[in-house]
Amino acid sequence: HSGLIESVGLGGILINEYLNPKTWVKVINYLDQNDRLYNLLSRRARENSKKFDVSKTAKFFCKKYNL
């Protein structure tokens, strides 16, 4: 899944049939009709996003590649 789980964490939904627009519509409609799940995923996504920091990432890559 090419890092999706690491980047999204528990704040998202993996859509296996991602090339199928009807599947996207079903998931979006489901979230639109399920406030509790939407709010839970939103809260988790906000928390997960805190672990990403541009300066921290830049320092990591500079150190890794001796820049």
Side-chain angles (χ1 to χ4, degrees), residues 10-13 31 36-46:
L10 298 174
I13 296 175
L31 286 173
R36 191 172 179 181
L37 178 60
Y38 176 83
N39 290 330
L40 174 65
L41 292 176
S42 295
R43 187 173 63 253
R44 288 178 175 174
R46 282 190 301 278

Side-chain angles (χ1 to χ4, degrees), residues 29-60:
N29 283 336
Y30 182 74
L31 286 173
D32 187 48
Q33 296 169 7
N34 190 332
D35 289 338
R36 191 172 179 181
L37 178 60
Y38 176 83
N39 290 330
L40 174 65
L41 292 176
S42 295
R43 187 173 63 253
R44 288 178 175 174
R46 282 190 301 278
E47 283 300 313
N48 190 60
S49 72
K50 292 177 184 176
K51 71 180 180 183
F52 298 100
D53 179 280
V54 174
S55 62
K56 187 169 126 178
T57 303
K59 287 178 187 176
F60 169 80

Side-chain angles (χ1 to χ4, degrees), residues 54-67:
V54 174
S55 62
K56 187 169 126 178
T57 303
K59 287 178 187 176
F60 169 80
F61 279 103
C62 287
K63 184 176 179 181
K64 182 169 181 69
Y65 295 106
N66 299 315
L67 301 174

Side-chain angles (χ1 to χ4, degrees), residues 3-20:
L4 180 64
I5 293 171
E6 290 81 7
S7 62
V8 174
L10 298 174
I13 296 175
L14 179 62
I15 299 175
N16 290 320
E17 295 180 47
Y18 61 90
L19 295 177
N20 184 346

